[in-house]
Amino acid sequence: MGQIKVLDRNMVNMIAAGEVIERPASVVKELTENSLDAGAARITVSVEDGGRKSITVTDNGEGVSADDLANAFESHSTSKIKAAKDLAEISSLGFRGEALASIASVARVKAVTRQKDSAQAAKVEIDCGERSPVAPCSGDYGTTVTVSDIFYKIPARRKFLRTANTEMGHITEQFIRIALPREGVDMTLEHNGRQRFRIHSDYSCTQRIKTFFGEEIAGKLMAAQRNQDSLSSLTRPSDKLAIYALIGKPELSRTSGKYQYVFLNGRFIRDKFISHAVREAYRSIIEPGRYPVLFLFITLPFKEYDVNVHPTKMEVRFYNSNLVHSEVLSCLREKLLASDLNPAADFSGVGGEKKGFDEVTQAIQDFFDKYKTSSSQRGFNFSSLKSSPHKPGVEVPFKTPSPDGEVFERQDYSRLSEQQGFIQIHDSYIVLQREDGFEVIDQHALHERIIYEKLRRRVSEGRLESQKLLVPETVMVSDIQSSLIEQFADLFEKLGIEIVSFGPDTCAVQSFPSLLSSAPVGEFVADLLGILEEKGTTGDNLLDDILNMAACKAAVKAGDSLTEQEIQGLLDERKKLELPERCPHGRPTTIKFTLKELEKQFKRT
Ligand code: ADP
Ligand code: MG
């Protein structure tokens, strides 16, 4: 007797559900996509307990006839394709005919639906694959599907559901991905009876972004387009590839690519060619390792790509990926190169207080005065010539400037050779004299290493010492981020960051680690949340990534003019380092030059 059996229908559906229905958010995705495919102009998503208890999606779309209703829940049943040729040109969001069957195999489902020409509505209920007969009932035009107690008969999967907050974060993300490009559709998301988002049908793309991500992001986007005309839609293709892009200015960059939303004919996708084009477009415009924020709406004739490559349809196969790549790249790059990307001057002083205008004017005046006295120097900023005050014999410049500014002519450089003198050049590097030559130190890289090692030591000993902020700093957070703050409460505590919820979508940082006092609090927390969003679940090198980022944020930057004492401090700290030669990212902190090498270069030997 053979061992191989054909699985029964419900088993097949449960297996399919494993691919399509990962968590409550997948249900929201599939149901709202069905509503859109049914031509709905209004969709309400109502969630209880993060979808763990129930999810109800109501639409005013075309509905299902009573005759078809039972079939809709059979696997591979769809009204969207009829013949093989239809697969080559899929214009609907769904087409595989497995979503409803999959959902109904792992939860309790109730569907009520009514078509325009029907005298009454019809309903059907399915409990983990057990279907009741279709029955008439009262109901409005359109369809309402309620999915309750997801995975209740599959404890192994129910166990993997996270807290209501976390699940709600995923649902919100799905809702955003569906609603962003859908101009003309009115969409509402509710949680436990409270409205989370309401997107009116006449909201523009930018208004939608503002509703979801706040003015913070929406206000720093620039629009770019290609082959767009006034009739162009964000979800329906014309006869050629067209792009509408809202692209973030460089200062809006993030630590992960999470804020890169790419839509193809209204479908949210992830695509490596497009990501590559985005990276290329921003090359040398933002720091390596940072990701721009951007919203790309691409329309392309349906026959030019295949969506039937992945069960969740998040990946597609372009037949001409080179064209897509080059069009995205030039659209973005041209816009970026044509824009003035310098961030606006920020006159806010320490602690977020605005400095008086006079103070700023005075600072600018001082700068030019200082510049004048050193302007006689050629290409070398002697005004920041530094030397150790403890070593005799090294003259400190600026002590006796002569009126004509030729203050440095009298500097006796030969005497520098007798001891360890140092100078800062280009406000970025420290040149340190040694007996056998000299070293060039990257001030940022060295300081990063110092802070990183200190942080690591303190964290492994317990927690970072923190200090209360005089004025709590508020940060905008998404639902997902606020659930991460809850989920990683221990980590925040270890880092010495006290953060509390402060009204909708806002948190307030009340305490901050003293070691990082020079890091910008808001930016730091945004980056920290970025890392958690990206890596939180995998946990790979999580703490190390955070400490790296922290060290980078708190370290002096290239371009910071340092005082003698500050440089001396860095050099003293350097002696205590475990690994002084490398910054935490693995780049060198120091390059050494020996006299021997110099002699060789000058052909003295
Ligand atoms: P697919 O969307 O891939 O066709 P589904 O299992 O999601 O498969 O849905 C099966 C069928 O049920 C759809 O093809 C459609 O005819 C019908 N249907 C599902 N949801 C709705 C809805 N909200 N309004 C109208 N028809 C729907
Ligand atoms: Mg579907």
Side-chain angles (χ1 to χ4, degrees), residues 451-597:
I451 299 175
Y452 171 78
E453 288 198 8
K454 272 193 195 161
L455 287 172
R456 225 184 34 186
R457 214 172 314 125
R458 303 267 168 92
V459 167
S460 70
E461 284 163 3
R463 57 186 291 265
L464 296 183
E465 193 185 304
S466 72
Q467 70 195 24
K468 273 243 171 316
L469 297 180
L470 283 178
V471 186
E473 175 117 3
T474 53
V475 241
M476 297 285 296
V477 289
S478 68
D479 282 7
I480 296 186
Q481 291 176 328
S482 70
S483 71
L484 283 171
I485 295 175
E486 262 178 46
Q487 195 184 333
F488 288 92
D490 291 351
L491 178 72
F492 278 87
E493 154 117 47
K494 209 170 175 53
L495 293 172
I497 300 171
E498 194 186 339
I499 184 165
V500 295
S501 177
F502 190 76
D505 312 324
T506 314
C507 274
V509 182
Q510 295 183 314
S511 307
F512 200 65
S514 352
L515 254 178
L516 302 178
S517 58
S518 53
V521 177
E523 224 178 85
F524 177 88
V525 172
D527 278 8
L528 172 58
L529 290 170
I531 294 176
L532 291 178
E533 266 176 275
E534 195 191 12
K535 293 247 176 126
T537 42
T538 65
D540 288 347
N541 299 330
L542 182 62
L543 190 61
D544 216 46
D545 281 354
I546 294 170
L547 300 187
N548 259 326
M549 181 277 288
C552 181
K553 280 255 155 6
V556 296
K557 304 279 176 300
D560 288 349
S561 173
L562 303 181
T563 65
E564 242 165 77
Q565 285 78 2
E566 285 167 334
I567 295 179
Q568 191 61 56
L570 283 179
L571 296 175
D572 291 346
E573 294 278 358
R574 182 167 80 144
K575 295 190 194 121
K576 303 183 206 151
L577 289 179
E578 254 169 57
L579 197 65
E581 301 84 14
R582 298 269 145 197
C583 83
H585 309 286
R587 291 188 293 270
T589 59
T590 307
I591 303 176
K592 289 183 181 155
F593 294 84
T594 60
L595 283 175
K596 262 210 188 77
E597 274 163 359

Side-chain angles (χ1 to χ4, degrees), residues 183-478:
E183 287 177 343
V185 183
D186 189 310
M187 293 192 66
T188 305
L189 176 64
E190 301 167 347
H191 190 210
N192 296 337
R194 234 190 78 218
Q195 185 174 303
R196 278 295 176 92
F197 293 108
R198 167 84 192 270
I199 302 289
H200 293 265
S201 60
D202 61 352
Y203 273 17
S204 69
C205 214
T206 314
Q207 277 172 303
R208 285 160 193 258
I209 293 172
K210 190 170 156 186
T211 307
F212 290 129
F213 304 104
E215 179 61 31
E216 210 35 32
I217 283 186
K220 285 185 184 150
L221 298 172
M222 308 180 288
Q225 49 205 30
R226 208 153 182 89
N227 297 330
Q228 283 274 324
D229 56 47
S230 55
L231 294 174
S232 292
S233 146
L234 299 181
T235 53
R236 306 295 300 181
S238 59
D239 58 351
K240 60 173 178 289
L241 187 153
I243 301 172
Y244 177 69
L246 289 167
I247 65 181
K249 297 183 176 169
E251 74 247 37
L252 205 57
S253 71
R254 292 289 188 269
T255 52
S256 83
K258 222 198 89 27
Y259 288 90
Q260 295 186 357
Y261 285 82
V262 179
F263 299 92
L264 177 63
N265 295 336
R267 184 194 302 280
F268 176 89
I269 59 162
R270 291 247 184 251
D271 180 78
K272 58 180 188 302
F273 291 100
I274 296 174
S275 311
H276 184 268
V278 169
R279 253 197 328 274
E280 282 293 290
Y282 277 86
R283 199 158 61 161
S284 76
I285 292 175
I286 59 175
E287 285 170 48
R290 308 272 313 174
Y291 298 78
V293 170
L294 100 180
F295 303 87
L296 263 186
F297 305 89
I298 302 172
T299 50
L300 182 69
F302 298 118
K303 62 179 183 329
E304 306 214 352
Y305 64 97
D306 184 4
V307 291
N308 192 20
V309 291
H310 194 267
T312 63
K313 300 168 239 124
M314 209 153 84
E315 282 164 36
V316 299
R317 189 178 296 130
F318 291 111
Y319 297 129
N320 190 348
S321 44
N322 286 341
L323 176 78
V324 176
H325 183 274
S326 70
E327 290 287 290
V328 170
L329 174 56
S330 24
C331 174
L332 302 187
R333 189 76 185 168
E334 278 164 26
K335 180 70 198 180
L336 287 166
L337 293 183
S339 315
D340 173 14
L341 297 175
N342 288 328
D346 181 5
F347 287 148
S348 55
V350 191
E353 293 157 45
K354 295 258 179 262
K355 268 193 189 170
F357 183 74
D358 291 345
E359 241 176 288
V360 175
T361 321
Q362 187 57 50
I364 295 172
Q365 187 60 48
D366 290 350
F367 172 80
F368 282 109
D369 288 349
K370 188 173 156 191
Y371 181 74
K372 250 195 304 193
T373 46
S374 61
S375 61
S376 59
Q377 314 311 319
R378 273 153 260 123
F380 192 3
N381 183 9
F382 282 111
S383 69
S384 52
L385 183 72
K386 305 295 191 318
S387 57
S388 164
H390 313 296
K391 310 280 182 196
V394 179
E395 269 188 42
V396 179
F398 265 123
K399 269 193 169 159
T400 51
S402 66
D404 58 1
E406 299 288 46
V407 58
F408 304 111
E409 294 292 282
R410 282 169 277 122
Q411 184 75 38
D412 182 359
Y413 291 106
S414 65
R415 284 148 83 188
L416 269 171
S417 65
E418 276 133 42
Q419 61 283 307
Q420 282 214 331
F422 51 76
I423 53 174
Q424 184 191 30
I425 59 169
H426 295 290
D427 284 348
S428 300
Y429 299 100
I430 299 160
V431 180
L432 172 70
Q433 183 169 278
R434 297 172 59 93
E435 230 162 358
D436 59 346
F438 65 96
E439 291 175 0
V440 180
I441 299 166
D442 176 335
Q443 65 189 37
H444 173 69
L446 174 61
H447 198 201
E448 240 183 344
R449 182 84 220 168
I450 292 168
I451 299 175
Y452 171 78
E453 288 198 8
K454 272 193 195 161
L455 287 172
R456 225 184 34 186
R457 214 172 314 125
R458 303 267 168 92
V459 167
S460 70
E461 284 163 3
R463 57 186 291 265
L464 296 183
E465 193 185 304
S466 72
Q467 70 195 24
K468 273 243 171 316
L469 297 180
L470 283 178
V471 186
E473 175 117 3
T474 53
V475 241
M476 297 285 296
V477 289
S478 68

Side-chain angles (χ1 to χ4, degrees), residues 30-31 33-38 59 61-64 68 71-74 77-81 93-102 113 142-145 313:
E30 295 297 336
L31 295 184
E33 285 189 348
N34 280 346
S35 299
L36 290 167
D37 282 344
D59 69 50
E62 65 184 12
V64 185
D68 276 345
N71 275 341
F73 288 88
E74 292 297 321
S77 64
T78 178
S79 57
K80 298 168 196 175
I81 52 170
L93 290 164
F95 59 88
R96 296 168 61 104
E98 58 188 4
L100 290 185
S102 301
T113 180
T143 304
T144 298
V145 179
K313 300 168 239 124

Side-chain angles (χ1 to χ4, degrees), residues 23-25 47-53 158-171 191-192 479-480 482-488:
R23 59 189 341 145
V47 178
E48 298 285 329
D49 192 29
R52 299 152 45 99
K53 185 154 172 244
R158 178 98 193 158
K159 198 174 73 193
F160 277 100
L161 292 184
R162 299 290 167 216
T163 60
N165 245 329
T166 303
E167 295 300 341
M168 197 54 205
H170 289 284
I171 287 175
H191 190 210
N192 296 337
D479 282 7
I480 296 186
S482 70
S483 71
L484 283 171
I485 295 175
E486 262 178 46
Q487 195 184 333
F488 288 92

